[in-house]
Amino acid sequence: MERKEWPLWEVFIRSRNGLDHKHCGSVHAPDARMALQVARDVYTRRLEGVSIWVVKASDIVASDPDAKPELFDPAEDKIYRHPTFYKLPDEVNHM
Amino acid sequence: MSQQHLEYVLRLGDNALILGQRLSEWCGRAPVIEEDLALANMALDLIGQARLLLTHAGKLEGKGRDEDQLAFLRVERDYRNLTLTELPNHDFGRTTVRNFLFSAFQVLLWERLARSTDTELAAIAAKSLKEARYHLNHSAEWVIRLGDGTAESQLRTQAALDYLWPYMAELFSADAADAAVAAAGIGPAWSELEAAWQASVLPVLEEATLTVPANTPFRSQGRLGRHSEHMGHLLATLQHMQRTYPGAQW
């Protein structure tokens, strides 16, 4: 099937009690409004209280897997960068 | 009165049942997976409405018939659905245009029925209204995309509208059962909804660059039990299990 008029959209959903939008998949749709409509069917089963973002897949810029070392490898030799040794007061949760 | 009340509820239930059955035929056959799920969703919404309405109709009738008996064991002449709902799906264009024309009507009907003096019916209407609004949104968006789409999709959507439009006249023709129910405050006579229906439908058709067909004298009579040649085939499929294994439950 001709797909040039059915671009791919990435779908991000925040569930009712969720704190942030999570990527949950993709859909094909002719435009943003239809992408929202079908994302609702495919990924939310129309539960109340969810928020949906759709983004055209071509608008997403991804990091290069080959650049992994310089981007993500933690500086193991700079141990002071990791806040492992700090003692947190009891009132501070979720760190 | 109770006979006309029953008639009115049966019409609502049979519309939902028969269109739900038609939409379920799309399962695994829709143009894209997204639409396959959407059509199945809408079919299930309609079957859900049909279950509530037929159960209610069974109680109004008072002969101990439940939803299954009403759904699966009536003869063709006893079904009260609009002819519109039993027409074959044909292509995605025709299915979408029918969903659009019908759900625009359903939204208006459920809005009014949510205030029905029949409290059971009012509760069903309040639940169904949310679903019908979603069906209307979904199908209206598609009517616009298809009508205003490629040359082929424009052609097919216009053909669908031309084919289906004459069947809408049945909804809005005056009818004795309708009038009696309206007089009793149970629900609107469907003809009262025509102006609001046009106001909801015409702007979408215009945005879709479709031409509204001229009205014709043709009146289908499904809600009187006089059905098209398609109904028997639909019922054969729908009733097959109950006819083969009477009383089967799942």
Side-chain angles (χ1 to χ4, degrees), chain B:
Chain B
M1 181 57 233
S2 67
Q3 186 54 39
Q4 281 140 343
H5 188 177
L6 169 63
E7 183 81 13
Y8 192 86
V9 174
L10 267 183
R11 288 175 182 183
L12 299 173
D14 287 347
N15 282 341
L17 176 73
I18 300 301
L19 187 55
Q21 172 72 10
R22 274 294 183 223
L23 291 185
S24 72
E25 292 170 12
W26 273 104
C27 196
R29 296 189 169 102
V32 290
I33 191 165
E34 291 84 350
E35 212 39 44
D36 208 77
L37 292 167
L39 288 168
N41 244 322
M42 289 188 263
L44 286 170
D45 284 346
L46 289 168
I47 300 290
Q49 294 174 16
R51 293 190 57 187
L52 296 169
L53 288 160
L54 292 180
T55 300
H56 185 44
K59 283 185 203 140
L60 289 174
E61 188 189 44
K63 291 180 187 162
R65 289 205 284 182
D66 65 5
E67 50 175 331
D68 285 339
Q69 282 163 308
L70 285 172
F72 296 122
L73 295 173
R74 277 179 289 162
V75 296
E76 180 179 327
R77 282 246 161 182
D78 293 337
Y79 283 85
R80 292 293 183 247
N81 55 290
L82 294 159
T83 303
L84 177 82
T85 60
E86 78 207 27
L87 299 172
N89 290 326
H90 195 62
D91 58 12
F92 181 58
R94 192 185 288 177
T95 294
T96 302
V97 172
R98 169 167 56 190
N99 282 344
F100 169 63
L101 298 175
F102 181 72
S103 55
F105 169 70
Q106 258 205 330
V107 165
L108 296 166
L109 192 59
W110 294 136
E111 277 172 358
R112 291 284 295 274
L113 286 171
R115 306 190 298 269
S116 172
T117 52
D118 174 345
T119 51
E120 177 75 21
L121 191 53
I124 296 171
K127 173 195 174 286
S128 307
L129 178 58
K130 283 190 279 182
E131 297 167 349
R133 281 188 176 140
Y134 159 75
H135 299 179
L136 176 58
N137 257 339
H138 188 89
S139 55
E141 296 284 4
W142 266 118
V143 167
I144 294 167
R145 300 309 182 287
L146 293 173
D148 191 16
T150 62
E152 172 80 4
S153 76
Q154 216 276 342
L155 205 69
R156 286 194 188 213
T157 317
Q158 183 64 54
L161 186 63
D162 293 345
Y163 177 80
L164 294 169
W165 192 260
Y167 290 96
M168 295 309 294
E170 180 184 353
L171 280 73
F172 304 119
S173 11
D175 173 84
D178 240 13
V181 165
I186 293 165
W190 293 2
S191 53
E192 290 171 38
L193 303 174
E194 185 170 14
W197 178 79
Q198 296 239 1
S200 140
V201 158
L202 295 182
V204 175
L205 296 179
E206 194 187 340
E207 193 179 343
T209 70
L210 296 170
T211 309
V212 175
N215 290 325
T216 65
F218 170 75
R219 293 287 177 276
S220 52
Q221 297 187 313
R223 64 180 183 177
L224 302 179
R226 299 186 198 114
H227 293 283
S228 69
E229 71 271 30
H230 309 292
M231 186 67 172
H233 296 278
L234 182 148
L235 288 180
T237 312
L238 177 71
Q239 300 184 334
H240 166 258
M241 286 298 280
Q242 273 300 326
R243 299 281 185 200
T244 313
Y245 304 100
Q249 302 236 320
W250 63 86

